[in-house]
């Protein structure tokens, strides 16, 4: 059965979507942008601070759903510019330290609220 995940520890949706949906032992997270859940705004700073906030948001949603970073199987990284690729990769390697998830990365024309980075995440567990 489908389970909707909602936590105050990650940003509220800024549109018609859920923070995450779990179905069949798989958790689909909406793309996370660098919004601080306490302020509802994009964090101050540049790509480093924004990427750190995105990972905080992803972790908060994984935690709320009972998943860990080790359960993540796929990640999609959207960048406002490919110039951010190396910096995002260095923080990415601190969040996912080994057995990295499958991943795609793109530079796109624009991201919600003018974010520099957005990351989508899929996590899965073996059936009990
Ligand atoms: C931020 C986001 N996930 C959306 O769809 O606008």
């Amino acid at each position: 059965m489908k389970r909707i995940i909602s936590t105050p520890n990650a940003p509220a949706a800024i549109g018609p979507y859920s923070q995450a949906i779990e179905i069949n032992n798989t958790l689909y997270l909406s793309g996370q942008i660098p919004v601080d859940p306490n302020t509802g705004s994009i964090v101050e700073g540049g790509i480093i601070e924004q990427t750190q906030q995105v990972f905080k948001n992803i972790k908060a949603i994984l935690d709320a759903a009972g998943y860990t970073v080790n359960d993540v199987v796929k990640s999609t990284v959207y960048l406002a510019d490919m110039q951010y690729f190396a910096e995002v990769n260095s923080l990415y390697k601190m969040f996912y330290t080994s057995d990295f998830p499958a991943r795609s990365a793109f530079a796109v024309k624009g991201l919600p609220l003018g974010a520099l980075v957005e990351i989508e995440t899929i996590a899965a567990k073996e059936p009990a």
Side-chain angles (χ1 to χ4, degrees):
M1 198 169 81
K2 191 165 91 168
R3 178 166 70 115
I4 294 176
I5 309 301
S6 177
T7 174
N9 298 324
I14 59 164
Y17 59 90
S18 299
Q19 290 172 329
I21 298 282
E22 183 191 43
I23 189 163
N24 295 336
N25 299 303
T26 304
L27 184 71
Y28 299 88
L29 282 73
S30 290
Q32 287 303 303
I33 55 173
V35 168
D36 180 337
N38 298 309
T39 64
S41 300
I42 300 258
V43 291
E44 295 202 357
I47 190 63
I48 299 286
E49 293 80 7
Q50 290 205 12
T51 306
Q52 288 169 335
Q53 185 64 48
V54 165
F55 283 126
K56 278 186 203 169
N57 296 343
I58 291 169
K59 176 147 187 348
I61 296 171
L62 290 171
D63 286 350
Y67 285 70
T68 74
V69 292
N70 294 327
D71 297 318
V72 174
V73 295
K74 178 69 183 11
S75 177
T76 307
V77 177
Y78 300 94
L79 302 172
D81 194 296
M82 268 301 164
Q83 69 172 307
Y84 302 129
F85 190 65
E87 284 162 298
V88 169
N89 274 340
S90 50
L91 292 165
Y92 193 95
K93 282 190 289 188
M94 296 167 73
F95 192 68
Y96 299 112
T97 54
S98 62
D99 294 338
F100 298 116
R103 195 184 86 172
S104 309
F106 305 93
V108 295
K109 190 172 178 187
L111 290 169
L113 305 182
L116 302 179
V117 56
E118 175 169 347
I119 301 179
E120 290 176 344
T121 306
I122 301 173
K125 292 186 181 197
E126 301 286 346

